[in-house]
Amino acid sequence: MKILAIETSCDETAVALLEASGTDTTASFRILGNALLSQIDIHKAYGGVFPALAKRAHAENITALLSNTLEEASMLREDVQVVSEEVREKVETILEREPGLARALMTFLSETERPSIDAIAVTHGPGLEPALWVGVNVARALSVAWNIPIVPINHMEGHFLAALGEMREDIIHIENVSLPILGLLISGGHTELQLMEPWVQYRLLGSTRDDAVGEAFDKVARMMDLPYPGGPEISRLAERDREDAGTNPFTLPRPMIDSGDYDFSFSGIKTAVMYMLKEHGALTDEEKQQLARAFEDAVTEVLWKKTADALAATGAKTLILGGGVSANVHIQRVFKKEIAEEFSDVTLRIPVSELTTDNAVMIGIAGFYRALKKEYATEVRADGNLRLSS
Ligand code: KG4
Ligand code: ZN
């Protein structure tokens, strides 16, 4: 099954084309085309994602990314196409609020033969709603023009399932996965523990009551005058401090670590950093490294404690880390060590590095399993607050 996947939920515009085969229990995914454009440079000046600019950048770039993806997959056949008046009208109605995108897409459609694709998977939530609508509307327009069904995808399910993939000879394999699966999903917008059982059905065990962990990384980095996105910057500094392995003058609280539930709170750590900086004044380079390390240690300890409690309580056989923050080397290292020592019967799966932060391949992977269930939609709407568990 060939799946075209589109992701525009936040600050990455991404399109991918996958050849997927198999079943729920044994599946493989060949990446035929994969195009991604990060908007980090646009948002850097604001220290965070600016929704109106995110939407505009998605609209400006998505047609070229679509074309590049098809080209990489050797499925771009340029040829004069007669687009019927009916299709033209429908595409223009779908994209009526984006006249520039409507024009670009019509030009693309009038020059490109319909590729042989079986389904279009598109992220319809959660995320920034104006940004999500760009991807959703492009999917709707292509669906009308090429008569290809749409499978709407939850972005968090993309992160969850991508973490199960193992890369061998450029093909992603998802197989031999034991259920139940506990997922710790940590990104810029989410921090949650989800339990998957049965396959692709989720139960929310707990989530953050305030900031997402990635958001805390980004906000603390901003307070320390580090560029956006802060996660990789803090990680880099903290790792340097661990190499030096000195004592750390900074300690930060571990909010809710003994709350007895699976909920998280990260705004307290952020506030503690704020007061610490006020009291302390400007930081030396060494102190920045130490503070970064203290922050990472506090966050990692809370994440592991809640995850360990959830593993013990649910008897989960597999643990996945998913979402942008799962790229963090310290979190990965601590989780690997703790699992080996305390839960040797649990398999830990972490996404291959290309699939940790936002991308369209993960949306295509989720699209395959949803297409197997024939979850095609006639009406697709963006929903910024879409949930994974019902
Ligand atoms: O999943 P993602 O790409 O986008 C969302 O869906 O939010 O996650 C982005 C988040 C940002 O907050 C970024 O700072 C964080 O992931 N991040 C990291 C690292 N790489 C990305 N946080 C900690 N350490 C990293 N190495
Ligand atoms: Zn994400």
Side-chain angles (χ1 to χ4, degrees):
M1 182 191 296
K2 286 203 178 71
I3 300 170
L4 178 71
I6 299 173
E7 155 66 42
T8 64
S9 69
C10 191
D11 60 349
E12 322 276 349
T13 318
V15 181
L17 191 69
L18 302 188
E19 165 95 72
S21 56
T23 61
D24 275 357
T25 49
T26 307
S28 63
F29 304 87
R30 183 191 293 274
I31 302 170
L32 303 177
N34 187 14
L36 186 140
L37 193 73
S38 165
Q39 303 174 2
I40 282 178
D41 288 341
I42 297 174
H43 301 293
K44 243 182 184 148
Y46 302 88
V49 182
F50 197 83
L53 290 183
K55 172 192 155 163
R56 197 168 81 191
H58 287 312
E60 279 171 7
N61 297 314
I62 195 160
T63 312
L65 292 176
L66 175 66
S67 172
N68 293 351
T69 303
L70 291 176
E71 188 165 18
E72 190 190 340
S74 305
M75 286 171 69
L76 186 71
R77 310 233 186 289
E78 293 193 27
D79 192 8
V80 180
Q81 299 296 307
V82 182
V83 180
S84 72
E85 207 42 48
E86 190 193 347
V87 165
R88 179 179 296 273
E89 266 172 31
K90 281 185 179 160
V91 169
E92 280 169 1
T93 307
I94 291 168
L95 293 167
E96 67 187 350
R97 290 180 172 195
E98 299 288 346
L101 174 55
R103 271 194 304 277
L105 206 64
M106 278 314 302
T107 305
F108 169 79
L109 289 170
S110 63
E111 292 171 348
T112 313
E113 244 180 58
R114 177 194 185 281
S116 76
I117 290 168
D118 304 289
I120 300 171
V122 64
T123 304
H124 70 132
L128 303 170
E129 226 158 84
L132 286 162
W133 272 114
V134 176
V136 165
N137 283 336
V138 167
R140 291 169 67 214
L142 293 176
S143 171
V144 164
W146 290 340
N147 194 22
I148 298 172
I150 299 180
V151 265
I153 297 301
N154 182 308
H155 179 86
M156 301 314 288
E157 178 166 57
H159 279 303
F160 197 114
L161 293 169
L164 294 171
E166 293 170 300
M167 187 80 90
R168 288 198 305 273
E169 286 158 16
D170 283 343
I171 297 177
I172 298 167
H173 297 266
I174 298 184
E175 60 201 10
N176 303 323
V177 180
S178 304
L179 271 59
I181 309 171
L182 179 68
L184 175 65
L185 300 177
I186 41 180
S187 70
H190 291 83
T191 301
E192 53 194 40
L193 278 163
Q194 295 273 0
L195 192 73
M196 186 212 274
E197 190 181 48
W199 182 246
V200 296
Q201 283 187 38
Y202 305 86
R203 182 156 63 88
L204 181 68
L205 301 181
S207 60
T208 181
R209 297 198 182 163
D210 39 58
D211 292 350
V213 63
E215 191 180 352
F217 266 96
D218 296 339
K219 286 179 177 168
V220 166
R222 197 166 157 184
M223 288 187 244
M224 293 167 65
D225 292 326
L226 301 172
Y228 174 84
E233 293 292 324
I234 291 201
S235 170
R236 195 171 49 79
L237 293 180
E239 283 301 294
R240 217 179 277 164
D241 195 56
R242 281 188 196 95
E243 278 166 24
D244 300 345
T247 53
N248 198 336
F250 302 112
T251 45
L252 290 167
R254 272 77 171 143
M256 292 184 67
I257 195 156
D258 292 315
S259 62
D261 57 18
Y262 305 115
D263 283 348
F264 302 88
S265 165
F266 293 105
S267 74
I269 307 186
K270 178 193 71 190
T271 314
V273 171
M274 194 177 79
Y275 284 119
M276 199 176 260
L277 288 172
K278 256 195 191 146
E279 204 170 288
H280 187 284
L283 297 175
T284 63
D285 285 351
E286 189 190 3
E287 286 166 339
K288 277 195 179 177
Q289 292 181 18
Q290 289 166 332
L291 184 57
R293 176 181 174 187
F295 172 77
E296 240 184 21
D297 284 348
V299 163
T300 307
E301 208 175 301
V302 176
L303 290 175
W304 170 251
K305 170 70 165 49
K306 301 277 169 165
T307 304
D309 289 350
L311 283 175
T314 60
K317 302 263 184 3
T318 305
L319 169 65
I320 65 105
L321 292 184
V325 184
S326 70
N328 184 278
V329 284
H330 182 64
I331 296 176
Q332 290 193 5
R333 186 168 50 223
V334 168
F335 273 62
K336 280 180 192 158
K337 177 173 169 286
E338 297 288 350
I339 286 288
E341 285 174 10
E342 288 186 45
F343 294 91
S344 53
D345 52 341
V346 172
T347 306
L348 173 65
R349 300 211 188 193
I350 294 171
V352 292
S353 61
E354 306 93 291
L355 302 187
T356 42
T357 49
D358 290 350
N359 63 85
V361 172
M362 68 183 197
I363 303 307
I365 291 174
F368 171 69
Y369 294 110
R370 294 290 160 197
L372 283 184
K373 290 187 174 301
K374 306 245 174 314
E375 290 181 12
Y376 298 113
T378 41
E379 279 295 314
V380 189
R381 296 185 60 79
D383 177 357
N385 298 313
L386 188 70
R387 286 161 178 275
L388 195 51
S389 337
S390 43

